[in-house]
Amino acid sequence: MSEILKIKGLVKRYKELIAIDHLDLSVKEGEIFGLLGPNGSGKSTTINCILSLLEYDKGEIEIFGKPMSPKAYEIKKQIGIVPQDVAVYDSLTVYENIDFFCGLYIKDKETRRKYVQEAIDFVALNDFVKFKPNKLSGGLKRRLNIACGIAHKPKLIFFDEPTVAVDPQSRNKILEGIEQLRNNGATIIYTSHYMEEVEQLCDRILIIDKGHTIAEGTVDELKGMIKKSEIITIEVAGLDNTALDMVRESNNVYSVSYENNQLKVEAGAGKHNVIDIVNLLQDKGYKMKKIFSEQPTLNDVFLELTGKQLRDE
Ligand SMILES: Nc1ncnc2c1ncn2[C@@H]1O[C@H](COP(=O)(O)OP(=O)(O)O)[C@@H](O)[C@H]1O
Ligand SMILES: [Mg+2]
């Protein structure tokens, strides 16, 4: 796979604040690449630097193998942008908005008409083409924003937090749509502070915090970077301290808590964690009810690598 986007040593300051601190990043053709970080970590700043919408202090940015610049029109026309804040014209209808953005890049009338219609179909706004944006719900407005960004069939598409303040149904539609765009041949860069979305959608993820790269890899690679690999929950009544100590001292276990008859055990990589603990409690005569085991989340990765929660809600 060829490299579509390459960033080396990107530095962006807002006065004293170093918003992006020597960021390296590489995205391959056909990937859905996730930029995951809490609010204020520098996701939008990174995107806006890549797109030459923002001047930066240092670094090199190449798109399609060529240096990106404010005047790199040949590159820009192959890029789609779905900005974090919905950016459409209130005075234009849904159709006119999509037509306007498409028309920035597609000059042939017939092609343009076809592309606009395909974008409308894609985000399912057919019933709303004559509406002005202020008559649309939040979710529909987001879909219009997406249609405006993708109508000209760009090869590389940036989605900056496209699901913030969107109802779950529209959110799923948006995520499905992004996968479809990739399946149709586009490369996607997707930013979010919702780890579940990024985990579900992205092939590779770069986690950032305060403009620094925290980690990069596939979901499995990221989860492999931390000690915790399994969280076991067992519903069991009346555990005494001796039993708790035995669990604590078991192979692989490094954290144990017990509250409201729920035993929670965090264990490192190992094959028999659940069986070992169940056997141990059974031997002591404890009756267990629900037992389940979970994988760590990207929040656990963030927590272990930075010492704080990724979640902010
Ligand atoms: N125009 C600006 N002027 C000054 N500081 C800014 C500006 N835009 C963003 N910042 C700061 O830069 C940091 C990164 O912001 P941003 O890129 O918007 O983060 P994210 O998109 O991850 O939420 C934050 O600390 C933010 O307050
Ligand atoms: Mg942002």
Side-chain angles (χ1 to χ4, degrees):
M1 274 197 290
S2 64
E3 216 169 32
I4 289 263
L5 168 68
K6 192 166 155 186
I7 300 180
K8 265 168 86 182
L10 181 66
V11 177
K12 168 66 189 172
R13 291 196 186 86
Y14 295 110
K15 300 208 173 102
E16 313 78 64
L17 177 80
I18 302 179
I20 303 296
D21 193 1
H22 293 90
L23 185 89
D24 295 330
L25 184 158
S26 153
V27 178
K28 294 188 188 72
E29 186 168 6
E31 276 191 313
I32 302 183
F33 186 89
L35 200 52
L36 174 69
N39 285 329
S41 54
K43 303 181 295 295
S44 296
T45 301
T46 302
I47 298 241
N48 291 332
C49 290
I50 295 172
L51 296 169
S52 283
L53 297 171
L54 204 57
E55 282 182 31
Y56 46 93
D57 298 271
K58 239 177 158 177
E60 286 159 39
I61 297 174
E62 275 185 8
I63 303 182
F64 308 128
K66 299 199 181 78
M68 180 60 173
S69 71
K71 287 185 180 156
Y73 186 73
E74 280 307 310
I75 297 179
K76 284 189 167 181
K77 71 180 188 190
Q78 299 181 72
I79 293 180
I81 307 164
V82 180
Q84 178 167 354
D85 299 315
V86 174
V88 296
Y89 292 100
D90 288 331
S91 57
L92 302 180
T93 63
V94 163
Y95 188 96
E96 289 162 349
N97 263 295
I98 302 170
D99 186 52
F100 171 80
F101 285 101
C102 186
L104 294 177
Y105 304 103
I106 306 295
K107 298 303 173 196
D108 177 67
K109 259 193 183 160
E110 258 325 293
T111 313
R112 179 165 158 187
R113 205 186 337 255
K114 180 168 166 277
Y115 279 16
V116 171
Q117 190 51 52
E118 283 173 5
I120 292 166
D121 293 339
F122 185 76
V123 295
L125 279 177
N126 296 282
D127 294 342
F128 303 94
V129 286
K130 295 207 169 105
F131 281 50
K132 296 270 172 71
N134 62 9
K135 292 278 185 287
L136 301 178
S137 69
L140 293 180
K141 236 188 241 177
R142 284 268 158 199
R143 274 146 68 178
L144 171 61
N145 203 38
I146 291 170
C148 292
I150 60 139
H152 60 293
K153 301 201 188 290
K155 283 212 278 197
L156 172 63
I157 312 173
F158 292 82
F159 286 89
D160 195 0
E161 308 229 30
T163 59
V164 169
V166 162
D167 60 280
Q169 206 186 347
S170 289
R171 173 183 288 209
N172 287 337
K173 278 252 171 307
I174 290 172
L175 297 181
E176 280 167 24
I178 292 174
E179 275 200 87
Q180 200 180 324
L181 287 167
R182 187 269 295 279
N183 294 342
N184 293 346
T187 303
I188 312 282
I189 295 175
Y190 183 89
T191 88
S192 181
H193 65 279
Y194 299 128
M195 54 178 185
E196 296 89 349
E197 278 183 5
V198 169
E199 183 161 349
Q200 177 193 334
L201 187 71
C202 299
D203 304 307
R204 263 185 335 121
I205 298 160
L206 185 129
I207 303 180
I208 62 169
D209 185 35
K210 296 181 182 156
H212 290 274
T213 295
I214 300 300
E216 194 195 334
T218 62
V219 170
D220 286 345
E221 284 166 358
L222 290 169
K223 289 180 178 178
M225 287 176 194
I226 60 170
K227 195 165 60 160
K228 183 198 296 188
S229 79
E230 191 174 9
I231 304 116
I232 301 160
T233 307
I234 301 177
E235 196 180 325
V236 50
L239 276 190
D240 60 19
N241 281 335
T242 320
L244 278 174
D245 281 343
M246 285 178 69
V247 174
R248 229 170 247 129
E249 281 151 24
S250 325
N251 213 2
N252 255 341
V253 167
Y254 64 89
S255 158
V256 175
S257 67
Y258 185 55
E259 242 177 67
N260 302 325
N261 293 341
Q262 297 263 329
L263 174 69
K264 258 196 195 306
V265 179
E266 294 184 1
K271 285 198 180 105
H272 309 296
N273 292 329
V274 177
I275 295 169
D276 289 353
I277 291 161
V278 168
N279 282 344
L280 192 154
L281 295 177
Q282 216 150 28
D283 286 351
K284 290 275 147 206
Y286 286 103
K287 296 253 174 300
M288 286 158 273
K289 288 187 184 163
K290 268 185 223 142
I291 301 170
F292 59 93
S293 159
E294 297 161 287
Q295 283 235 314
T297 63
L298 290 179
N299 189 53
D300 294 317
V301 176
F302 194 79
L303 182 64
E304 206 169 302
L305 297 178
T306 67
K308 61 182 190 193
Q309 301 280 342
L310 175 61
R311 289 186 185 282
D312 64 344
E313 60 260 67

